[in-house]
Amino acid sequence: MKKIEAIIKPFKLEDVKDALTEAGITGMTVSDVKGYGRQQGHSELYRGAEYVVDFLPKIKLELIVDERSVDETIRIITDAARTGKIGDGKIFVTSVQKVVRIRTGEEDEEAI
């Protein structure tokens, strides 16, 4: 099992969710996060003063998938989230040792 974490632009969330659902990939955790990379934030004017906004709003998706689904899941997220502009995001894949569904006690693949 693998955990896929994707950091994407907020306005791409629905596109990514719809593409994953269409492919039969259900269940994810979504968090509002802030961060920056090469994008380095931007400047804003407020009451005549300029402020640098270092952290930009992003969305973090977390999914657990079986190893056979990793490449396809990455492709779906990448295709749906890409704008071609800086700040499109990143995808991280890590191994998962164990999953337990609290309600039923199911473990690992059955618990996904």
Side-chain angles (χ1 to χ4, degrees), residues 42-53:
H42 63 281
S43 298
E44 290 184 1
L45 283 177
Y46 178 72
R47 295 188 178 187
E50 186 174 9
Y51 295 91
V52 176
V53 179

Side-chain angles (χ1 to χ4, degrees), residues 3-100:
K3 179 178 184 180
I4 298 176
E5 294 179 66
I7 309 296
I8 63 172
K9 291 182 175 184
F11 68 89
K12 291 304 240 172
L13 175 59
E14 287 301 315
D15 293 342
V16 171
K17 183 181 76 77
D18 292 345
L20 289 168
T21 301
E22 188 175 306
I25 300 168
T26 57
M28 74 176 84
T29 300
V30 178
S31 305
D32 289 314
V33 296
K34 293 182 180 183
Y36 71 93
R38 290 185 186 162
Q39 207 171 3
Q40 294 297 315
H42 63 281
S43 298
E44 290 184 1
L45 283 177
Y46 178 72
R47 295 188 178 187
E50 186 174 9
Y51 295 91
V52 176
V53 179
D54 290 332
F55 295 99
L56 300 172
K58 300 287 184 178
I59 295 291
K60 180 179 179 181
L61 306 175
E62 296 175 273
L63 305 93
I64 306 296
V65 299
D66 63 62
E67 293 200 31
R68 298 178 306 273
S69 303
V70 171
D71 291 336
E72 178 69 5
T73 304
I74 290 170
R75 185 194 61 75
I76 291 166
I77 294 170
T78 302
D79 289 350
R82 179 180 290 134
T83 67
K85 296 190 167 89
I86 194 165
D88 274 351
K90 296 259 188 327
I91 298 174
F92 306 95
V93 180
T94 55
S95 293
V96 173
Q97 299 278 326
K98 187 163 204 64
V99 175
V100 177

